[in-house]
Amino acid sequence: MNIVSFSQNHTIVKHRQPHSVKERFGVLVKKAGDDEQVLHLHWSGAASSILNMCSRYYDSRGECHAMENQKTKFESLIQEMKDSGLRPIAFAYRKTEVNELEQDGLVLLAVIGLKYTFQDETKSAMEDLKNAGIKIILVSEEDIMAVRHIACGLGISENSVVLEEEIEALASTVRLGKVDLRGSFLLKDKLLMVQCLQEEDHVVAVIEGSRTIDAAILEKADVGIVEISRSTTMARDNSGICIKCFSALPLVVRAGRCIYQNVQKFTQLQVTTCASGSLVNLIAAMSIGESPLTAVQLIWVNVAMCFLGGHMMSMKLTGEEQLKPFDSKQSLVTQEIMRNIAVQVFYQVSVFVLLQFEGQRLHNINEARKTMIFNTFMLCQIFNQLHVMQLWKKRVLKAVLHSYTFLLALGACLLLQFLAVHYAEGLVADGMQLNGIQWAICVLFAALSWGFDYTFEFLAACLKTSANSSSGFSNRRRWFYLSYLGIPFLIVLCVHVP
């Protein structure tokens, strides 16, 4: 558009930046070196608005005519454009000597209908978002006919529509959740919509950012999303996610859900490690007055699990069919995770109680009982992590085998554990090295946790089926899972009563 030459030969005296698509853009320009006080006033924007500012028009031959009865024809043309799904805009001009952005007496230069076009990638991204369980609501300041054509191009249903005059009735958030299209919405209306949806405990994400005033709604929403190439600096500063293009949004959603599930798995591992280690020391301290696991050993195991868990959280361990939306009211630790923690803690505590009290009767175990407890405790956490990762699935196994950093971290932890058991005498281990048979017993006890988990998962599935047919049992199911934690104490009593 030869903008460099224009900026050198003209001076912008005043300008007006519109805040919405319905407003107008005006600029007052003076030619450089022009001694006369003649200024050139230009207006552009919504065609209907610009037409009301004009008293004359230019024809295709460049001749100027009075508007008179031609205004009706222009209005019909503009309405035809709207009915066809076009966005009509107009350009107007006049010379003036007043240093103000006047809004009357203009000469109409042109009326143009802009067509809404969407790339195939955008349409595909919209379909992916809907398949992911995300409800999409199209909100626009355009007229409702234009909004309907935009929705048709994006594949959004037109089950109901909300117009500007119905905004005050939108305090009912039930109705807000039932509409997919909203036309003639201003900024205050968008803020009201976001507030009403949030009051109904919906997680609201807003995609805006082409104007500075959009920063308010981006900050109000739970998640503000902007496109880098189509957003202002203030909008990007108030957003939570910046994407290069709209088609990248489904990838962001899948990545977020995958990370959320990895955080759940990491939480399960950490709670299991802390609970089992604390219970083992508590039972031993109450029974024999000493703890089989020292503070250094517990610190080492927690550091190793954080190290492995951190690498696990960066991996994609969940398939597309498992990336379902989460309820905003749902706790991070679900009932299923609580059950898995209770089962694993029960198994580990039972094994350690067996090694602590029954290992004294076996010569091969009694000599290095504390070291075996520490070694089994460490191996149990590693096997538990592999179980939580669902390593038996081909997809997960392939992801693990291609994650060289995780394999390197796993190998480093196992090597350091071997060195700690054999060479860190008095610091990590109790001074007794383990032979091949003792190592095999430790690995066997750790590996059996998988079978123990499978057994209880099968029993839980059977109990869940029974609970569906018995309402009274369903109320007691939660207490049944929590009762797992009491079994280790019963084992201690059974061992010492004779």
Side-chain angles (χ1 to χ4, degrees):
M1 298 179 64
N2 200 17
I3 189 65
V4 176
S5 176
F6 177 83
S7 60
Q8 291 176 351
N9 299 325
H10 297 79
T11 302
I12 296 178
V13 181
K14 286 186 177 181
H15 76 280
R16 175 185 174 184
Q17 179 71 32
H19 296 296
S20 69
V21 295
K22 290 187 175 183
E23 297 184 16
R24 298 155 293 188
F25 182 90
V27 61
L28 194 61
V29 180
K30 180 181 180 181
K31 289 185 178 180
D34 195 348
D35 296 333
E36 299 181 3
Q37 297 298 322
V38 177
L39 302 176
H40 301 269
L41 176 63
H42 291 266
W43 282 93
S44 65
S48 299
S49 179
I50 296 296
L51 182 62
N52 293 328
M53 301 167 59
C54 298
S55 58
R56 294 174 296 168
Y57 71 94
Y58 277 109
D59 60 15
S60 58
R61 296 185 298 272
E63 298 177 357
C64 187
H65 304 278
M67 185 66 68
E68 297 179 350
N69 296 331
Q70 293 295 324
K71 185 175 182 180
T72 304
K73 294 183 179 181
F74 283 121
E75 290 176 346
S76 300
L77 175 64
I78 293 172
Q79 188 60 42
E80 289 178 4
M81 289 182 177
K82 291 181 179 180
D83 295 340
S84 302
L86 302 177
R87 176 188 171 190
I89 62 173
F91 301 88
Y93 157 86
R94 66 168 287 191
K95 293 182 179 180
T96 180
E97 296 180 357
V98 181
N99 192 7
E100 296 292 338
L101 293 173
E102 298 176 328
Q103 302 185 24
D104 57 356
L106 301 178
V107 182
L108 183 65
L109 299 179
V111 178
I112 300 176
L114 299 181
K115 183 179 180 180
Y116 296 94
T117 59
F118 305 96
Q119 298 180 353
D120 294 336
E121 293 82 0
T122 303
K123 299 178 182 179
S124 177
M126 295 289 288
E127 189 66 26
D128 291 342
L129 292 175
K130 289 190 290 185
N131 294 335
I134 298 176
K135 180 177 178 60
I136 300 174
I137 301 175
L138 180 61
V139 179
S140 176
E141 299 175 6
E142 298 281 3
D143 294 329
I144 193 58
M145 293 302 299
V147 175
R148 281 180 173 152
H149 282 86
I150 296 174
C152 182
L154 293 175
I156 301 176
S157 62
E158 302 184 29
N159 56 345
S160 55
V161 177
V162 177
L163 298 176
E164 183 178 8
E165 56 268 19
E166 302 175 4
I167 297 301
E168 297 300 329
L170 289 180
S172 174
T173 57
V174 176
R175 186 177 181 187
L176 274 171
K178 295 181 179 179
V179 295
D180 294 335
L181 303 180
R182 296 181 175 85
S184 303
F185 257 47
L186 301 178
L187 177 63
K188 61 181 181 63
D189 307 323
K190 297 177 184 180
L191 291 173
L192 174 61
M193 179 192 67
V194 172
Q195 179 181 353
C196 293
L197 290 173
Q198 289 176 336
E199 290 176 356
E200 285 293 312
D201 294 325
H202 293 291
V203 178
V204 183
V206 175
I207 304 177
E208 281 278 7
S210 59
R211 300 165 301 173
T212 303
I213 62 173
D214 293 335
I217 190 172
L218 291 171
E219 186 177 3
K220 177 68 175 177
D222 296 298
V223 182
I225 305 173
V226 298
E227 292 189 48
I228 298 176
S229 59
R230 300 182 181 180
S231 59
T232 62
T233 302
M234 183 177 294
R236 289 193 293 270
D237 293 339
N238 288 273
S239 65
I241 299 176
C242 296
I243 55 178
K244 291 184 178 180
C245 58
F246 186 83
S247 58
L249 196 55
L251 300 177
V252 175
V253 173
R254 284 194 289 268
R257 292 180 178 178
C258 182
I259 292 174
Y260 180 82
Q261 293 191 4
N262 286 348
V263 170
Q264 286 184 312
K265 295 175 181 179
F266 182 79
T267 304
Q268 178 179 335
L269 293 173
Q270 291 298 307
V271 174
T272 302
T273 302
C274 295
S276 58
S278 300
L279 280 176
V280 168
N281 282 344
L282 177 62
I283 294 172
M286 293 172 59
S287 303
I288 60 177
E290 63 177 358
S291 301
L293 296 173
T294 65
V296 175
Q297 292 172 348
L298 291 175
I299 291 174
W300 157 242
V301 173
N302 277 278
V303 168
M305 296 315 299
C306 289
F307 185 56
L308 292 176
H311 286 82
M312 178 194 70
M313 292 178 64
S314 63
M315 301 170 60
K316 184 180 179 181
L317 304 175
T318 308
E320 297 292 335
E321 69 282 357
Q322 294 176 296
L323 294 177
K324 300 178 181 179
F326 297 95
D327 187 0
S328 59
K329 297 181 181 179
Q330 177 181 330
S331 173
L332 180 67
V333 181
T334 61
Q335 289 189 2
E336 181 181 0
I337 294 177
M338 284 295 298
R339 177 185 61 81
N340 294 335
I341 292 174
V343 170
Q344 191 62 223
V345 170
F346 163 59
Y347 174 78
Q348 292 185 18
V349 172
S350 301
V351 168
F352 301 144
V353 168
L354 180 64
L355 290 174
Q356 177 67 32
F357 298 106
E358 297 298 323
Q360 299 175 359
R361 304 177 184 180
L362 302 176
H363 177 71
N364 289 334
I365 297 180
N366 187 43
E367 295 177 353
R369 181 163 35 88
K370 289 186 178 181
T371 304
M372 288 188 64
I373 291 176
F374 163 61
N375 197 36
T376 305
F377 180 68
M378 176 64 178
L379 295 177
C380 278
Q381 311 316 316
I382 294 178
F383 273 89
N384 184 36
Q385 174 163 350
L386 298 178
H387 174 73
V388 170
M389 294 169 61
Q390 299 178 333
L391 192 62
W392 61 88
K393 295 185 177 181
K394 292 183 179 180
R395 181 190 66 256
V396 177
L397 181 61
K398 183 178 179 180
V400 170
L401 293 178
H402 284 80
S403 179
Y404 301 111
T405 56
F406 178 79
L407 294 176
L408 183 62
L410 180 60
C413 288
L414 292 175
L415 177 61
L416 291 175
Q417 176 66 15
F418 176 82
L419 296 176
V421 169
H422 283 270
Y423 300 104
E425 300 179 0
L427 180 61
V428 179
D430 62 353
M432 296 297 298
Q433 296 185 359
L434 302 182
N435 55 34
I437 296 177
Q438 292 169 339
W439 267 97
I441 293 174
C442 295
V443 174
L444 179 63
F445 275 132
L448 284 176
S449 62
W450 281 27
F452 195 77
D453 268 324
Y454 292 144
T455 303
F456 270 85
E457 286 178 3
F458 175 76
L459 293 177
C462 295
L463 292 173
K464 185 176 182 180
T465 304
S466 302
N468 293 332
S469 59
S470 176
S471 58
F473 177 80
S474 62
N475 295 329
R476 300 190 300 270
R477 182 176 57 181
R478 186 178 303 173
W479 296 105
F480 179 78
Y481 291 151
L482 293 177
S483 65
Y484 293 159
L485 299 177
I487 296 179
F489 296 98
L490 295 178
I491 294 176
V492 177
L493 295 177
C494 293
V495 169
H496 284 276
V497 164

